[in-house]
Amino acid sequence: MTKKVGIALGSGSARGWSHIGVIRSLLEGGIPIDFVCGASIGALVAGSFAAGFLDPLDRWVRKLSWSHIIGFMDVLIPRSGLVEGEKISGYLREVLSDPRIEELPVPFSAVATDLKTGSEVWLREGSLIDAIRASISLPGIFTPCARNGQWLVDGGLVNPVPVSPCRAMGADIVIAVNLNSDIMGKPKVKRMADPSGNNGNHKNGTSPRAQGRWAAFLNQTAQQSNLNLFRQLFQEQPERGPSLFDVMATSVKIMQDAITRQRLLADPPDILVKPKLAHIGLMEFNRADESIEEGKRAMDLQLPMLRDMLD
């Protein structure tokens, strides 16, 4: 009997683009993917693959720049979250369309958390984009997502690497991707991000040319309230310490790290992929090329073991 392969793609903010590299490695290696599950950013990549839109997602994320990221920030006066998320949802509907989960060519499940009960919710039917929106709703950053009478937030709060739903769907072999295994306790890399998306290799972070582009970008958009608010909320300022986003996201990561260890001990995957992503900041969505390459490298190393299991 042919063994069914499932992949469980974990949470990790901008580091989640490495999931694309993991899937690329499997496809290029001739490994069939029968089930996909995801939590948070993992749900976005898993859902895109299940719907047959991995290529458009790949092309889109490789072009992301800081100006694009800022443009998606429909920032609110704080209520239940800083970002409404409608711009992101609308753009995903344009790029990926919005099929129903139960009609996808590859079975898919997204993990979310019920804000009222704290219970784990597996989203396996209805709007694909709504399920992704619920799963990525990091508390304090995105407003909770209303769905079927529930208020749902980030699935990484309860199941950061969703092995269990992958097995429940019928996978004989589960490949889990943990994006946060090498992050806690590591010093944060100080670097200046180029809003054009091209990250220089200068020893001080970026080349003088890139720094010039960054300065020009700031001068051009200094009057935009979104940019000023973005810098205050999401970018670390050395003289003032971590940003609000850093405090919230890192606190969640500390919790997720402990939960991930416990969940993987209780329900270990057959193969655990751990890309080395400590150098990628939580909001550096513009570094997709590096993340994807690292995800593919990490999965390539596991292919011989996976083939042995399949044989």
Side-chain angles (χ1 to χ4, degrees), residues 36-58:
V36 286
C37 297
S40 196
I41 189 70
L44 171 56
V45 178
S48 299
F49 170 74
F53 294 115
L54 188 68
D55 288 342
L57 180 69
D58 189 320

Side-chain angles (χ1 to χ4, degrees), residues 7-59:
I7 54 175
L9 305 182
S11 59
S13 296
R15 300 172 181 121
W17 299 146
S18 65
H19 291 318
I20 297 174
V22 170
I23 295 175
R24 292 286 187 211
S25 172
L26 292 169
L27 296 178
E28 291 176 11
I31 306 297
I33 300 173
D34 301 291
F35 307 98
V36 286
C37 297
S40 196
I41 189 70
L44 171 56
V45 178
S48 299
F49 170 74
F53 294 115
L54 188 68
D55 288 342
L57 180 69
D58 189 320
R59 291 192 294 269

Side-chain angles (χ1 to χ4, degrees), residues 172-190:
D172 300 303
I173 296 175
V174 175
I175 303 165
V177 185
N178 182 6
L179 302 179
N180 302 310
S181 63
D182 67 336
I183 292 172
M184 300 314 304
K186 296 293 182 67
K188 189 172 181 179
V189 178
K190 302 293 184 183

Side-chain angles (χ1 to χ4, degrees), residues 3-228:
K3 295 179 180 178
K4 300 290 187 180
V5 175
I7 54 175
L9 305 182
S11 59
S13 296
R15 300 172 181 121
W17 299 146
S18 65
H19 291 318
I20 297 174
V22 170
I23 295 175
R24 292 286 187 211
S25 172
L26 292 169
L27 296 178
E28 291 176 11
I31 306 297
I33 300 173
D34 301 291
F35 307 98
V36 286
C37 297
S40 196
I41 189 70
L44 171 56
V45 178
S48 299
F49 170 74
F53 294 115
L54 188 68
D55 288 342
L57 180 69
D58 189 320
R59 291 192 294 269
W60 174 55
V61 302
R62 289 180 188 271
K63 295 177 181 177
L64 281 178
S65 66
W66 276 116
S67 57
H68 292 127
I69 296 167
I70 294 168
F72 285 123
M73 298 297 169
D74 43 358
V75 179
L76 300 170
I77 295 173
R79 179 169 56 88
S80 55
L82 293 171
V83 178
E84 186 69 39
E86 290 306 311
K87 288 185 180 180
I88 295 175
S89 297
Y91 191 80
L92 290 176
R93 284 188 172 91
E94 285 184 24
V95 174
L96 308 177
S97 79
D98 190 12
R100 294 187 63 81
I101 294 173
E102 56 269 34
E103 297 172 356
L104 296 176
V106 179
F108 162 78
S109 178
V111 177
T113 304
D114 187 318
L115 190 60
K116 182 177 180 181
T117 66
S119 60
E120 182 176 340
V121 180
W122 295 354
L123 304 174
R124 297 190 56 185
E125 60 183 21
S127 162
L128 173 64
I129 300 303
D130 286 351
I132 292 171
R133 168 68 175 86
S135 190
I136 67 173
S137 298
L138 187 67
I141 302 299
F142 286 97
T143 56
C145 181
R147 182 180 169 99
N148 299 331
Q150 297 173 301
W151 288 105
L152 301 178
V153 293
D154 198 310
L157 297 179
V158 288
N159 198 351
V161 184
V163 173
S164 48
C166 212
R167 290 205 189 281
M169 292 172 73
D172 300 303
I173 296 175
V174 175
I175 303 165
V177 185
N178 182 6
L179 302 179
N180 302 310
S181 63
D182 67 336
I183 292 172
M184 300 314 304
K186 296 293 182 67
K188 189 172 181 179
V189 178
K190 302 293 184 183
R191 62 191 309 280
M192 179 181 290
D194 174 10
S196 70
N198 300 317
N199 298 294
N201 296 318
H202 189 265
K203 65 180 180 180
N204 292 325
T206 54
S207 67
R209 178 181 298 177
Q211 292 181 12
R213 288 197 297 267
W214 176 240
F217 173 78
L218 290 181
N219 290 334
Q220 180 183 357
T221 57
Q223 301 304 315
Q224 296 179 8
S225 59
N226 265 14
L227 175 60
N228 292 329

